Amino acid sequence: MANSPSGDSMLDRLVRILDSFDAKNHSLSVRVLARRADIPLASMYRLLDSLVEHDLLSRDDSGQVRLGLRLWELANRSAATGDLRTAALPFMEDINQLLGQNTQLSVLHQDEVLIIERLSRPGSVVNQANVAGRMPVQRTSMGMALLAFSRPEVIADFLSRHQAVMTATHPDFRAEMAEIRRTGYASFDGFIDPETTGVAAPILDEAGYQLAVISVVLPRETRTVQSAGLALRTAARGISRALQMGGSL
C-alpha cells in the first residue's frame, strides 16, 4: 500500500485510526481522532471520507466518528473466533443461568486478554469486561488461567517482556501457576474491582494447552468460588469436546 508523504504506509495509518477507539471511547471527534492516530488533521479528513464511504467508519450529524458496521460484519466472519463462540455459547448460557452472573469467553492475544463474547445478567456484580475489549493478563483471573495453561515457550516469552509488572503483582507467580494447574481454574480477589472475585477456567486443546477461557465475576464475599470453579471447569471441558467433534482443533 502506498506510503503517505510522512513516510508511513496507508495501512499503518488505517490501523492507528482503528486502534484509536476502545471500550471507553466509542465515538471521537475528527480532531481527537487525528491526534490519537498521529495523523495531520487535513489528511484525517481526506481519509475519513474514504473510510466512511466503505463503512469502515461512520459519522453522525454532530460530526462524531464511530467504527462502521462493516468491521463488525468482517469480524464475525472470522473462523477462529466464530467456531469457538458457536461451541461455547450453549455452555456459557448454562453457566449464566446456574451462577446468575455475567459470563465471558476470552482468548490470549498480543499479551492481553481479548473478550470475544459476554452474556449479561440482570442484578449481577460490576464487570469491566466488554466484547472486543482488552484487559491486562496480570490483573484478571482470565489472564492468569490462560497463562498457566499456555505452552512453556509462550510463558517464558511473556515473562521476558513483562517481568517487572508480573513480579510486582504476583510475587508468588510460580506457586500461583502451580495451584491454577492443580485445581483447573484461577480465582483472584479484587483485581479490577475491589468488591468482586474473578473465576476462570481454561478451554484446552488435545495437548492440554489453552485455546480460550470461560469466566465469571462473583461478589467478593461469596462462598461459591469453589463450586463456580468446578462448574466452569466442566463447561470448559464440554467446549473442548465440542470443538474437537467439530474438527476445529
Side-chain angles (χ1 to χ4, degrees):
M1 187 171 290
N3 285 355
S4 68
S6 63
D8 53 347
S9 72
M10 289 301 173
L11 179 57
D12 289 335
R13 289 187 163 200
L14 174 59
V15 171
R16 294 206 304 272
I17 289 169
L18 299 180
D19 276 347
S20 296
F21 299 91
D22 54 37
K24 295 182 179 179
N25 295 278
H26 298 288
S27 66
L28 300 167
S29 69
V30 181
R31 187 175 298 276
V32 171
L33 180 57
R35 185 176 70 249
R36 289 172 69 99
D38 193 23
I39 296 172
L41 186 58
S43 298
M44 186 69 248
Y45 274 108
R46 289 195 298 270
L47 286 168
L48 182 58
D49 288 340
S50 180
L51 293 171
V52 169
E53 180 182 353
H54 290 286
D55 201 22
L56 296 175
L57 295 178
S58 65
R59 183 167 43 190
D60 62 26
D61 293 339
S62 68
Q64 291 288 109
V65 181
R66 294 176 175 268
L67 295 175
L69 284 176
R70 192 174 185 188
L71 286 173
W72 175 86
E73 180 184 2
L74 293 171
N76 277 275
R77 295 177 188 171
S78 168
T81 58
D83 292 346
L84 174 60
R85 181 178 176 275
T86 298
L89 270 174
F91 298 93
M92 293 180 67
E93 290 167 354
D94 288 344
I95 292 293
N96 192 249
Q97 291 285 336
L98 176 66
L99 300 180
Q101 298 291 341
N102 297 338
T103 309
Q104 296 78 231
L105 178 69
S106 316
V107 296
L108 185 63
H109 182 63
Q110 297 178 343
D111 285 359
E112 292 181 295
V113 178
L114 174 63
I115 315 299
I116 62 175
E117 185 58 271
R118 168 179 158 170
L119 297 184
S120 299
R121 189 76 181 179
S124 60
V125 296
V126 173
N127 186 347
Q128 303 295 334
N130 294 296
V131 174
R134 293 174 178 268
M135 304 186 79
V137 168
Q138 75 278 3
R139 300 288 295 172
T140 61
S141 296
M142 297 178 289
M144 296 299 286
L146 287 165
L147 198 60
F149 283 88
S150 291
R151 294 180 179 276
E153 62 270 22
V154 172
I155 299 174
D157 190 44
F158 181 90
L159 290 176
S160 71
R161 292 189 300 277
H162 305 283
Q163 187 65 62
V165 70
M166 292 303 294
T167 299
T169 53
H170 296 277
D172 298 321
F173 175 76
R174 298 295 178 186
E176 289 175 355
M177 292 291 98
E179 181 64 11
I180 293 168
R181 295 186 191 111
R182 185 187 70 81
T183 61
Y185 65 89
S187 172
F188 291 92
D189 296 330
F191 263 172
I192 299 295
D193 185 279
E195 302 302 321
T196 64
T197 293
V199 188
I203 299 162
L204 306 177
D205 63 15
E206 291 177 299
Y209 295 115
Q210 58 86 8
L211 293 167
V213 67
I214 182 172
S215 63
V216 294
V217 179
L218 305 173
R220 184 162 181 170
E221 300 305 319
T222 185
R223 297 181 179 179
T224 61
V225 169
Q226 185 176 11
S227 58
L230 295 176
L232 288 168
R233 194 172 66 182
T234 300
R237 288 172 177 167
I239 297 168
S240 294
R241 286 194 297 271
L243 287 168
Q244 292 174 38
M245 291 175 62
S248 299
L249 295 179

